[in-house]
Amino acid sequence: MAAEQRYWDGLQLGTQGQFGGAIYNLGFAVEMWLKYACLRIDGFTPAAVWNVGSFVPERQFLNAIDRSVDHEAWHSLRFFATYLHFRRAHQNRPLDSDLQPALIHRSNRMYHTWWVSMRYFPDLAGEYDIRRAYDDAGWFRINRDRLWR
């Protein structure tokens, strides 16, 4: 899976002191894991997930509940984590009590560390930023299947 490759790319860049590149790749991996989980809970098979052209149904569903979360051109970690929470609750399959607060906390924290357009700016990330990104991305990697199963 591409998310796994981006995760390992991020780890490698981080060990080379390229913190901005590391965070970019780690955040990209988290984005893919969240999108995958959202589509799986919506009934898509693994093969069909990557053929989805848009997330319009997800936006419509979440807008009916909470209009304050922008999809940000379909790259918002906060959007997909919030959707996942509400969609599972709507399906009477809420996330485990240990998983739910961690999902929201880690997606919000990663949201403030990573953003798609960071690729256009100088690398200003420090050791604190990369440690936090490693921690959060590692959590998503370990729990990726629990998010949709």
Side-chain angles (χ1 to χ4, degrees), residues 37 40-43 84-96 100 145-149:
R40 288 305 308 267
I41 65 166
D42 284 343
L84 192 60
H85 163 69
F86 283 116
R87 184 70 173 143
R88 286 193 58 135
H90 180 76
Q91 295 174 343
N92 292 318
R93 296 180 15 183
L95 289 165
D96 293 341
Q100 173 56 35
D145 290 338
R146 288 182 66 203
L147 295 175
W148 63 269
R149 286 192 175 157

mmCIF file of all heavy atoms in Angstrom, residues 37 40-43 84-96 100 145-149:
data_model
loop_
_atom_site.group_PDB
_atom_site.id
_atom_site.type_symbol
_atom_site.label_atom_id
_atom_site.label_comp_id
_atom_site.label_asym_id
_atom_site.label_seq_id
_atom_site.Cartn_x
_atom_site.Cartn_y
_atom_site.Cartn_z
ATOM 1 N N ALA A 37 -10.047 3.963 5.689
ATOM 2 C CA ALA A 37 -10.987 3.554 6.734
ATOM 3 C C ALA A 37 -12.383 4.103 6.452
ATOM 4 O O ALA A 37 -13.379 3.384 6.614
ATOM 5 C CB ALA A 37 -10.496 4.029 8.100
ATOM 6 N N ARG A 40 -13.904 2.090 3.600
ATOM 7 C CA ARG A 40 -14.223 0.721 4.006
ATOM 8 C C ARG A 40 -15.502 0.687 4.848
ATOM 9 O O ARG A 40 -16.321 -0.210 4.673
ATOM 10 C CB ARG A 40 -13.068 0.088 4.780
ATOM 11 C CG ARG A 40 -11.842 -0.266 3.949
ATOM 12 C CD ARG A 40 -12.135 -1.181 2.756
ATOM 13 N NE ARG A 40 -12.866 -2.372 3.058
ATOM 14 C CZ ARG A 40 -12.375 -3.556 3.351
ATOM 15 N NH1 ARG A 40 -11.076 -3.738 3.380
ATOM 16 N NH2 ARG A 40 -13.164 -4.580 3.608
ATOM 17 N N ILE A 41 -15.694 1.655 5.753
ATOM 18 C CA ILE A 41 -16.928 1.637 6.541
ATOM 19 C C ILE A 41 -18.135 1.985 5.694
ATOM 20 O O ILE A 41 -19.257 1.694 6.067
ATOM 21 C CB ILE A 41 -16.862 2.541 7.796
ATOM 22 C CG1 ILE A 41 -16.723 4.001 7.425
ATOM 23 C CG2 ILE A 41 -15.774 2.090 8.743
ATOM 24 C CD1 ILE A 41 -16.983 4.950 8.571
ATOM 25 N N ASP A 42 -17.885 2.590 4.535
ATOM 26 C CA ASP A 42 -18.979 2.872 3.611
ATOM 27 C C ASP A 42 -19.250 1.710 2.670
ATOM 28 O O ASP A 42 -20.055 1.818 1.748
ATOM 29 C CB ASP A 42 -18.682 4.143 2.809
ATOM 30 C CG ASP A 42 -18.896 5.391 3.635
ATOM 31 O OD1 ASP A 42 -19.562 5.315 4.687
ATOM 32 O OD2 ASP A 42 -18.395 6.455 3.235
ATOM 33 N N GLY A 43 -18.561 0.586 2.876
ATOM 34 C CA GLY A 43 -18.860 -0.623 2.130
ATOM 35 C C GLY A 43 -18.001 -0.898 0.913
ATOM 36 O O GLY A 43 -18.244 -1.867 0.194
ATOM 37 N N LEU A 84 -15.315 9.700 10.185
ATOM 38 C CA LEU A 84 -15.199 8.331 10.658
ATOM 39 C C LEU A 84 -15.941 8.147 11.983
ATOM 40 O O LEU A 84 -16.692 7.186 12.159
ATOM 41 C CB LEU A 84 -13.717 7.990 10.823
ATOM 42 C CG LEU A 84 -13.314 6.555 11.030
ATOM 43 C CD1 LEU A 84 -13.748 5.684 9.870
ATOM 44 C CD2 LEU A 84 -11.803 6.477 11.207
ATOM 45 N N HIS A 85 -15.747 9.066 12.880
ATOM 46 C CA HIS A 85 -16.425 9.007 14.179
ATOM 47 C C HIS A 85 -17.947 9.010 14.015
ATOM 48 O O HIS A 85 -18.636 8.119 14.528
ATOM 49 C CB HIS A 85 -15.983 10.187 15.041
ATOM 50 C CG HIS A 85 -16.883 10.463 16.190
ATOM 51 N ND1 HIS A 85 -17.002 9.622 17.272
ATOM 52 C CD2 HIS A 85 -17.737 11.484 16.425
ATOM 53 C CE1 HIS A 85 -17.873 10.116 18.125
ATOM 54 N NE2 HIS A 85 -18.336 11.252 17.638
ATOM 55 N N PHE A 86 -18.477 9.986 13.299
ATOM 56 C CA PHE A 86 -19.933 10.111 13.157
ATOM 57 C C PHE A 86 -20.535 9.007 12.298
ATOM 58 O O PHE A 86 -21.627 8.519 12.576
ATOM 59 C CB PHE A 86 -20.312 11.488 12.609
ATOM 60 C CG PHE A 86 -20.236 12.574 13.627
ATOM 61 C CD1 PHE A 86 -19.336 13.610 13.483
ATOM 62 C CD2 PHE A 86 -21.065 12.569 14.741
ATOM 63 C CE1 PHE A 86 -19.256 14.624 14.424
ATOM 64 C CE2 PHE A 86 -20.996 13.576 15.695
ATOM 65 C CZ PHE A 86 -20.084 14.610 15.530
ATOM 66 N N ARG A 87 -19.852 8.612 11.264
ATOM 67 C CA ARG A 87 -20.391 7.574 10.380
ATOM 68 C C ARG A 87 -20.498 6.235 11.110
ATOM 69 O O ARG A 87 -21.508 5.533 11.007
ATOM 70 C CB ARG A 87 -19.522 7.441 9.134
ATOM 71 C CG ARG A 87 -20.060 6.464 8.127
ATOM 72 C CD ARG A 87 -21.314 7.007 7.488
ATOM 73 N NE ARG A 87 -21.700 6.124 6.409
ATOM 74 C CZ ARG A 87 -22.953 5.833 6.112
ATOM 75 N NH1 ARG A 87 -23.947 6.386 6.767
ATOM 76 N NH2 ARG A 87 -23.223 5.011 5.129
ATOM 77 N N ARG A 88 -19.470 5.897 11.867
ATOM 78 C CA ARG A 88 -19.531 4.643 12.628
ATOM 79 C C ARG A 88 -20.637 4.700 13.665
ATOM 80 O O ARG A 88 -21.354 3.716 13.865
ATOM 81 C CB ARG A 88 -18.186 4.356 13.279
ATOM 82 C CG ARG A 88 -17.153 3.886 12.236
ATOM 83 C CD ARG A 88 -15.977 3.315 12.902
ATOM 84 N NE ARG A 88 -16.383 2.216 13.755
ATOM 85 C CZ ARG A 88 -15.766 1.050 13.816
ATOM 86 N NH1 ARG A 88 -14.727 0.825 13.058
ATOM 87 N NH2 ARG A 88 -16.168 0.109 14.634
ATOM 88 N N ALA A 89 -20.791 5.836 14.324
ATOM 89 C CA ALA A 89 -21.872 5.979 15.308
ATOM 90 C C ALA A 89 -23.230 5.826 14.624
ATOM 91 O O ALA A 89 -24.131 5.171 15.158
ATOM 92 C CB ALA A 89 -21.765 7.324 16.010
ATOM 93 N N HIS A 90 -23.372 6.421 13.434
ATOM 94 C CA HIS A 90 -24.614 6.325 12.667
ATOM 95 C C HIS A 90 -24.918 4.876 12.283
ATOM 96 O O HIS A 90 -26.078 4.480 12.185
ATOM 97 C CB HIS A 90 -24.509 7.215 11.426
ATOM 98 C CG HIS A 90 -25.729 7.200 10.573
ATOM 99 N ND1 HIS A 90 -26.881 7.879 10.901
ATOM 100 C CD2 HIS A 90 -25.977 6.586 9.388
ATOM 101 C CE1 HIS A 90 -27.785 7.682 9.955
ATOM 102 N NE2 HIS A 90 -27.259 6.904 9.027
ATOM 103 N N GLN A 91 -23.898 4.088 12.060
ATOM 104 C CA GLN A 91 -24.058 2.681 11.704
ATOM 105 C C GLN A 91 -24.201 1.781 12.939
ATOM 106 O O GLN A 91 -24.199 0.569 12.812
ATOM 107 C CB GLN A 91 -22.849 2.197 10.894
ATOM 108 C CG GLN A 91 -22.686 2.838 9.554
ATOM 109 C CD GLN A 91 -21.378 2.420 8.874
ATOM 110 O OE1 GLN A 91 -20.457 1.902 9.498
ATOM 111 N NE2 GLN A 91 -21.313 2.652 7.576
ATOM 112 N N ASN A 92 -24.305 2.383 14.111
ATOM 113 C CA ASN A 92 -24.348 1.640 15.378
ATOM 114 C C ASN A 92 -23.119 0.756 15.565
ATOM 115 O O ASN A 92 -23.203 -0.346 16.094
ATOM 116 C CB ASN A 92 -25.632 0.809 15.499
ATOM 117 C CG ASN A 92 -26.839 1.685 15.645
ATOM 118 O OD1 ASN A 92 -26.799 2.672 16.376
ATOM 119 N ND2 ASN A 92 -27.897 1.342 14.952
ATOM 120 N N ARG A 93 -21.994 1.269 15.104
ATOM 121 C CA ARG A 93 -20.707 0.598 15.261
ATOM 122 C C ARG A 93 -19.677 1.609 15.788
ATOM 123 O O ARG A 93 -18.666 1.873 15.141
ATOM 124 C CB ARG A 93 -20.217 0.069 13.926
ATOM 125 C CG ARG A 93 -21.052 -0.992 13.305
ATOM 126 C CD ARG A 93 -20.476 -1.435 11.983
ATOM 127 N NE ARG A 93 -19.104 -0.967 11.833
ATOM 128 C CZ ARG A 93 -18.357 -1.146 10.762
ATOM 129 N NH1 ARG A 93 -18.832 -1.772 9.736
ATOM 130 N NH2 ARG A 93 -17.132 -0.691 10.690
ATOM 131 N N PRO A 94 -19.960 2.228 16.928
ATOM 132 C CA PRO A 94 -19.039 3.265 17.405
ATOM 133 C C PRO A 94 -17.642 2.693 17.642
ATOM 134 O O PRO A 94 -17.478 1.503 17.890
ATOM 135 C CB PRO A 94 -19.668 3.734 18.711
ATOM 136 C CG PRO A 94 -20.537 2.616 19.147
ATOM 137 C CD PRO A 94 -21.009 1.928 17.886
ATOM 138 N N LEU A 95 -16.669 3.561 17.539
ATOM 139 C CA LEU A 95 -15.296 3.158 17.819
ATOM 140 C C LEU A 95 -15.168 2.754 19.283
ATOM 141 O O LEU A 95 -15.905 3.236 20.140
ATOM 142 C CB LEU A 95 -14.347 4.320 17.522
ATOM 143 C CG LEU A 95 -14.169 4.661 16.047
ATOM 144 C CD1 LEU A 95 -13.513 6.026 15.896
ATOM 145 C CD2 LEU A 95 -13.353 3.598 15.342
ATOM 146 N N ASP A 96 -14.232 1.869 19.563
ATOM 147 C CA ASP A 96 -13.972 1.459 20.942
ATOM 148 C C ASP A 96 -13.669 2.681 21.797
ATOM 149 O O ASP A 96 -13.119 3.675 21.312
ATOM 150 C CB ASP A 96 -12.776 0.502 20.998
ATOM 151 C CG ASP A 96 -13.063 -0.831 20.338
ATOM 152 O OD1 ASP A 96 -14.257 -1.162 20.161
ATOM 153 O OD2 ASP A 96 -12.104 -1.543 19.999
ATOM 154 N N GLN A 100 -11.618 6.057 20.232
ATOM 155 C CA GLN A 100 -12.283 7.306 19.854
ATOM 156 C C GLN A 100 -11.526 8.560 20.305
ATOM 157 O O GLN A 100 -11.216 9.417 19.489
ATOM 158 C CB GLN A 100 -13.726 7.316 20.367
ATOM 159 C CG GLN A 100 -14.445 8.630 20.178
ATOM 160 C CD GLN A 100 -14.455 9.094 18.742
ATOM 161 O OE1 GLN A 100 -14.530 8.305 17.816
ATOM 162 N NE2 GLN A 100 -14.360 10.386 18.551
ATOM 163 N N ASP A 145 -6.422 -0.697 10.938
ATOM 164 C CA ASP A 145 -7.512 -1.646 10.702
ATOM 165 C C ASP A 145 -8.626 -1.503 11.735
ATOM 166 O O ASP A 145 -9.793 -1.722 11.423
ATOM 167 C CB ASP A 145 -6.988 -3.082 10.691
ATOM 168 C CG ASP A 145 -6.140 -3.379 9.472
ATOM 169 O OD1 ASP A 145 -6.284 -2.656 8.459
ATOM 170 O OD2 ASP A 145 -5.340 -4.318 9.525
ATOM 171 N N ARG A 146 -8.275 -1.134 12.940
ATOM 172 C CA ARG A 146 -9.300 -0.956 13.980
ATOM 173 C C ARG A 146 -10.220 0.213 13.650
ATOM 174 O O ARG A 146 -11.348 0.275 14.139
ATOM 175 C CB ARG A 146 -8.650 -0.681 15.340
ATOM 176 C CG ARG A 146 -7.984 -1.905 15.944
ATOM 177 C CD ARG A 146 -7.392 -1.600 17.304
ATOM 178 N NE ARG A 146 -8.450 -1.300 18.264
ATOM 179 C CZ ARG A 146 -8.260 -0.588 19.366
ATOM 180 N NH1 ARG A 146 -7.075 -0.093 19.657
ATOM 181 N NH2 ARG A 146 -9.265 -0.386 20.206
ATOM 182 N N LEU A 147 -9.778 1.131 12.830
ATOM 183 C CA LEU A 147 -10.594 2.293 12.486
ATOM 184 C C LEU A 147 -11.808 1.914 11.641
ATOM 185 O O LEU A 147 -12.823 2.598 11.684
ATOM 186 C CB LEU A 147 -9.762 3.353 11.756
ATOM 187 C CG LEU A 147 -8.651 3.987 12.566
ATOM 188 C CD1 LEU A 147 -7.825 4.919 11.693
ATOM 189 C CD2 LEU A 147 -9.210 4.727 13.775
ATOM 190 N N TRP A 148 -11.724 0.848 10.898
ATOM 191 C CA TRP A 148 -12.859 0.491 10.031
ATOM 192 C C TRP A 148 -13.481 -0.868 10.350
ATOM 193 O O TRP A 148 -14.588 -1.143 9.916
ATOM 194 C CB TRP A 148 -12.469 0.556 8.560
ATOM 195 C CG TRP A 148 -11.404 -0.402 8.127
ATOM 196 C CD1 TRP A 148 -10.063 -0.174 8.113
ATOM 197 C CD2 TRP A 148 -11.586 -1.723 7.629
ATOM 198 N NE1 TRP A 148 -9.399 -1.277 7.647
ATOM 199 C CE2 TRP A 148 -10.303 -2.245 7.337
ATOM 200 C CE3 TRP A 148 -12.704 -2.524 7.411
ATOM 201 C CZ2 TRP A 148 -10.126 -3.524 6.845
ATOM 202 C CZ3 TRP A 148 -12.517 -3.807 6.907
ATOM 203 C CH2 TRP A 148 -11.228 -4.286 6.626
ATOM 204 N N ARG A 149 -12.818 -1.722 11.062
ATOM 205 C CA ARG A 149 -13.378 -3.057 11.336
ATOM 206 C C ARG A 149 -14.372 -3.034 12.455
ATOM 207 O O ARG A 149 -14.423 -2.243 13.292
ATOM 208 C CB ARG A 149 -12.264 -4.047 11.663
ATOM 209 C CG ARG A 149 -11.515 -4.401 10.416
ATOM 210 C CD ARG A 149 -10.610 -5.574 10.652
ATOM 211 N NE ARG A 149 -10.031 -5.915 9.364
ATOM 212 C CZ ARG A 149 -8.905 -6.566 9.231
ATOM 213 N NH1 ARG A 149 -8.246 -6.974 10.276
ATOM 214 N NH2 ARG A 149 -8.442 -6.850 8.045
#
